[in-house]
């Protein structure tokens, strides 16, 4: 019998296949006492296992590249945390085996994270994955993770660890469904990068029986269990229609009546460039430079290393706009040489531009490297600061850019509600705005982007978030300056039309989403987009906003 479930669609496309569940977590190791003379050997075993798991995570990151690499490198640093390792060795010294010492030390740290507020609680899934990998290595059992299968399948899990998501084989994994996560979680971002249909935040996903046939619509969030032949045919026809529309849509982003909306790519480094170029990106709207810094959490990369990495990206987009975000450290991207380890709430503490202003030498080196990288290249370099709160922040960043001799446009990211509310004031100091809708939603609704339980508040269709976008775009228009969106909201084709109607001047997204957005935007006039945006803002919920916009654009 066909039934329909509803989660949050986070990656476009349709997948039809049998359910395969993620491998189960490592069992709790037995609590066995060891003799005192065994402690040194067990401590050595624990250290070797930790280093091996960290090396494996780093290797997976190098293979995956881009956004996945940064996530996996952060996990590797988590595995090697010196305080955690010291706790493991203390437990072994008083009689625990290596595997039990690791298990108990991680459990204690897990409790600290889980009780430290939603932002840090969102790191628990990553911590559990690291623990499971270390314990599995010590026990000599297979790593938990993606199931072995010769036939394509739909992967179902409570949540997907970054190490698993990063190396999914799209030829075997038709799509995936998770019980946890949200539209801007690591799993969602990586799914879009892979081009794999995905639905997250589906209550009861784990209850889908192994081998059950399901159809996943990553655009709507619908899951059809035991779909009828008619439903399968309907979904396949819709997918074929979308594919044909994508193939027919080429060239710069624009509405049906010719209003230009440049479609740019979000990249994490040189490895992301080929996909962006292939997708027809008109430039880069967000170059996340922190990935370069995560290679070594204890030392900043040299000016030579930075210059080389920046130049590789700049060279790929001649005569195009490349927007670079300076280092966004802190919160879920800690760096030993920059961020304090004892902040009670890092998400609301010293992160982003605040960190850089506290360490002006790091900012000066990065800006100098960007200036050197752009020398002699026919590229339109723009540099923006993360987590700008007010005009004083914007002024401090612009001053730093000028002092470094940077010949580029200076901009500010709008990720804090205060920046949207006072956008016109900020624009007295900088030349453009870029809306980071992921963090803007997180701070507007006090809802951690990694916590599935609050995923409805992370939905970029929330009318309050659209209001803040509109305020920013209106301020930029009044000042004769640009206002783009570089958060995940831009990757939703329907929402891209609404953002255009709100006055946003460019859209930046993962490369895989560019063809979908280009094709959809080209169907409607600017006036239709404006009417859809107005309708969405009158709604009282994200679901109603999407429905209202859809009704306008479909002529209902």
């Amino acid at each position: 019998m066909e039934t329909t479930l509803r989660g949050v669609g986070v990656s476009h496309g349709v997948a039809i296949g049998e359910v395969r569940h993620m491998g189960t977590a490592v069992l709790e190791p037995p609590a066995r006492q060891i003799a005192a003379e065994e402690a040194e050997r067990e401590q050595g075993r624990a250290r070797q296992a930790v280093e091996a798991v960290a090396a494996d995570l780093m290797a997976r990151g190098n293979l995956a590249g881009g956004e996945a690499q940064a996530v996996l490198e952060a996990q590797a640093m988590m595995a090697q945390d010196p305080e955690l390792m010291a706790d493991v060795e203390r437990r072994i010294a008083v009689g625990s085996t290596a595997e039990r010492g690791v298990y108990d030390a991680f459990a204690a740290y897990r409790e600290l994270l889980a009780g430290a507020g939603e932002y840090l609680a969102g790191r628990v899934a990553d911590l559990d994955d690291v623990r499971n990998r270390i314990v599995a290595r010590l026990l000599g059992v297979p790593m938990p993770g993606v199931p072995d299968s010769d036939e394509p399948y739909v992967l179902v899990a409570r949540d997907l660890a970054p190490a698993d998501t990063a190396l999914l084989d799209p030829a075997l994994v038709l799509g995936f469904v998770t019980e946890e996560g949200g539209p801007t979680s690591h799993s969602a971002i990586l799914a879009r990068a892979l081009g794999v249909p995905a639905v997250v935040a589906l209550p009861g996903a784990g209850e889908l029986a192994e081998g059950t046939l399901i159809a996943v619509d990553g655009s709507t969030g619908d899951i059809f269990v035991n779909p009828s032949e008619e439903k399968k045919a309907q979904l396949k026809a819709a997918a074929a229609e979308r594919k044909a529309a994508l193939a027919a849509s080429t060239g710069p982003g624009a509405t049906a009546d010719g209003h230009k909306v440049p479609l740019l790519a979000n990249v994490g480094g040189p490895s992301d460039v080929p996909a962006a170029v292939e997708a027809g990106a008109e430039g880069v709207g967000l170059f996340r430079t922190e990935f370069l810094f995560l290679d070594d959490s204890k030392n900043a990369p040299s000016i030579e290393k930075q210059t080389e990495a920046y130049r590789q990206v700049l060279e790929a987009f001649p005569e195009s706009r490349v927007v670079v975000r300076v280092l966004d450290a802190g919160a879920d991207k800690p760096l030993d040489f920059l961020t304090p380890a004892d902040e009670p709430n890092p998400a609301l503490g010293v992160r982003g531009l605040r960190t850089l202003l506290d360490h002006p030498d790091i900012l000066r080196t990065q800006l100098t490297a960007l200036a050197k990288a752009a020398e002699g290249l026919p590229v339109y370099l723009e540099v923006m600061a993360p987590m700008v709160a007010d005009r004083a922040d914007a002024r401090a960043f612009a001053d730093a850019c000028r002092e470094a001799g940077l010949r580029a446009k200076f901009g500010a990211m709008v990720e804090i509600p205060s920046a949207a509310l006072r956008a016109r004031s900020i624009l007295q100091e900088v030349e453009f705005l870029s809306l980071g809708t992921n963090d803007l939603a997180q701070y507007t609704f006090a809802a951690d982007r990694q916590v599935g339980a609050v995923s409805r508040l992370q939905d970029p269709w929330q009318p309050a978030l659209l209001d803040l976008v509109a305020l920013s775009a209106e301020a930029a228009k009044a000042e004769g300056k640009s206002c783009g969106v570089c958060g995940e909201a831009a990757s939703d084709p329907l929402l891209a039309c609404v953002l255009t109607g709100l006055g946003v001047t460019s859209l930046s997204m993962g490369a895989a989403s560019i063809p979908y957005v280009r094709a959809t935007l080209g169907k409607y006039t600017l006036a239709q987009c404006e009417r859809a945006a107005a309708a969405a803002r009158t709604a009282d919920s994200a679901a109603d906003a999407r429905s209202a916009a859809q009704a306008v654009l479909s002529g209902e």
Side-chain angles (χ1 to χ4, degrees):
M1 179 180 173
E2 180 180 315
T3 56
T4 304
L5 306 174
R6 171 64 64 84
V8 178
V10 296
S11 185
H12 306 297
V14 171
I16 302 174
E18 293 186 357
V19 167
R20 294 286 182 275
H21 283 274
M22 195 69 145
T24 55
V26 175
L27 295 175
E28 180 177 347
R32 180 175 66 83
Q33 285 290 110
I34 60 170
E37 59 269 20
E38 296 180 75
E40 188 174 344
R41 179 177 64 84
E42 290 295 289
Q43 288 172 338
R45 286 181 64 226
R47 285 192 294 271
Q48 288 176 0
V50 165
E51 290 305 318
V53 167
D56 178 62
L57 290 169
M58 292 291 283
R60 286 169 178 257
N62 289 332
L63 282 173
E67 300 180 51
Q69 184 172 3
V71 174
L72 293 173
E73 287 175 351
Q75 271 198 298
M77 288 190 288
M78 188 181 282
Q80 296 171 303
D81 183 280
E83 290 187 17
L84 254 177
M85 197 62 230
D87 190 19
V88 170
E89 294 189 346
R90 279 195 298 269
R91 292 172 188 274
I92 294 174
V94 295
S96 288
T97 61
E99 47 266 36
R100 188 70 208 190
V102 168
Y103 187 90
D104 289 341
F106 273 72
Y109 193 42
R110 189 186 198 280
E111 286 185 18
L112 286 175
L113 286 185
E118 287 187 347
Y119 199 94
L120 288 179
R123 308 281 77 76
V124 165
D126 290 357
L127 183 71
D128 286 348
D129 181 59
V130 171
R131 176 204 65 198
N132 290 347
R133 290 174 185 277
I134 297 171
V135 172
R137 189 170 186 90
L138 288 165
L139 291 175
V141 301
M143 290 286 178
V146 178
D148 291 326
S149 176
D150 295 328
E151 297 295 323
Y153 58 91
V154 176
L155 182 61
V156 176
R158 182 184 65 81
D159 202 355
L160 282 173
D164 297 314
T165 315
L167 297 180
L168 288 177
D169 181 356
L172 279 177
V173 181
L174 302 171
F176 66 75
V177 179
T178 66
E179 192 160 343
E180 297 294 325
T184 59
S185 65
H186 287 151
S187 294
I189 292 171
L190 296 176
R192 285 189 283 270
L194 287 165
V196 176
V199 172
V200 301
L202 179 73
E207 296 171 15
L208 290 167
E210 186 86 2
T212 301
L213 184 70
I214 64 172
V216 179
D217 190 329
S219 299
T220 65
D222 289 328
I223 305 291
F224 302 96
V225 183
N226 296 314
S228 65
E229 292 300 320
E230 181 183 0
K231 175 59 70 176
K232 286 191 283 185
Q234 183 182 33
L235 289 170
K236 287 177 180 177
E241 184 180 334
R242 282 198 289 264
K243 187 175 181 180
L246 293 181
S249 176
T250 58
T255 59
D257 55 339
H259 174 73
K260 294 187 183 303
V261 186
L263 302 182
L264 313 172
N266 294 343
V267 304
S271 62
D272 289 342
V273 167
V277 172
E278 185 180 349
E282 298 170 60
V284 173
L286 173 62
F287 180 1
R288 298 180 176 97
T289 59
E290 62 268 19
F291 296 160
L292 188 62
F293 288 75
L294 289 169
D295 282 345
D296 181 355
S297 71
K298 294 180 170 53
N299 301 286
S302 67
I303 192 168
E304 292 78 16
K305 183 177 180 180
Q306 290 190 55
T307 301
E308 181 184 357
Y310 303 151
R311 193 170 181 89
Q312 287 182 53
V313 175
L314 294 174
E315 285 176 334
F317 294 96
E319 304 296 339
S320 299
R321 180 185 181 202
V322 176
V323 184
V324 179
R325 180 177 70 190
V326 293
L327 176 62
D328 184 13
D332 61 340
K333 291 168 284 192
L335 294 169
D336 293 347
F337 64 90
L338 275 184
T339 48
D342 57 352
E343 273 197 292
N345 191 342
L348 300 179
V350 182
R351 65 165 290 197
L353 180 61
R354 298 168 187 174
T355 301
L356 293 175
L357 294 179
D358 280 352
H359 298 82
D361 54 322
I362 299 293
L363 178 58
R364 188 182 309 111
T365 298
Q366 185 172 24
L367 294 174
T368 301
L370 284 165
K372 289 171 68 70
E375 282 178 4
L377 294 181
V379 66
Y380 300 106
L381 176 63
E382 301 185 12
V383 182
M384 62 185 181
M387 302 300 292
V388 171
D390 56 15
R391 184 172 179 174
D393 278 351
R395 183 188 304 119
F397 178 65
D399 287 346
C401 290
R402 282 188 283 267
E403 287 168 12
L406 190 62
R407 294 183 178 180
K409 285 187 175 181
F410 317 141
M413 290 199 70
V414 178
E415 301 166 287
I416 303 173
S418 63
L421 293 168
R422 300 291 293 171
R424 197 158 182 181
S425 170
I426 287 171
L427 283 165
Q428 305 309 305
E429 306 294 340
V430 295
E431 297 172 81
F432 69 94
L433 300 177
S434 185
L435 287 142
T437 52
N438 305 352
D439 272 324
L440 185 57
Q442 176 169 255
Y443 289 121
T444 298
F445 298 104
D448 188 342
R449 54 194 279 192
Q450 299 295 333
V451 179
V454 292
S455 62
R456 77 173 185 86
L457 297 172
Q458 301 152 0
D459 193 324
W461 281 94
Q462 283 284 355
L465 188 66
L466 299 181
D467 287 344
L468 293 175
V469 173
L471 277 175
S472 303
E474 288 164 5
K477 184 178 181 179
E479 293 296 327
K481 297 179 179 180
S482 63
C483 176
V485 169
C486 64
E488 291 301 312
S491 66
D492 179 335
L494 183 63
L495 186 51
C497 295
V498 167
L499 295 172
T500 299
L502 291 174
V504 166
T505 56
S506 66
L507 300 167
S508 189
M509 65 209 76
S513 297
I514 291 175
Y516 289 92
V517 173
R518 183 193 293 119
T520 304
L521 194 61
K523 292 180 183 178
Y524 307 108
T525 65
L526 176 59
Q528 286 176 298
C529 292
E530 289 172 342
R531 288 197 295 273
R537 290 183 67 189
T538 62
D540 290 321
S541 71
D544 288 346
R546 172 181 271 276
S547 296
Q550 182 70 70
V552 170
L553 293 177
S554 61
E556 295 177 9

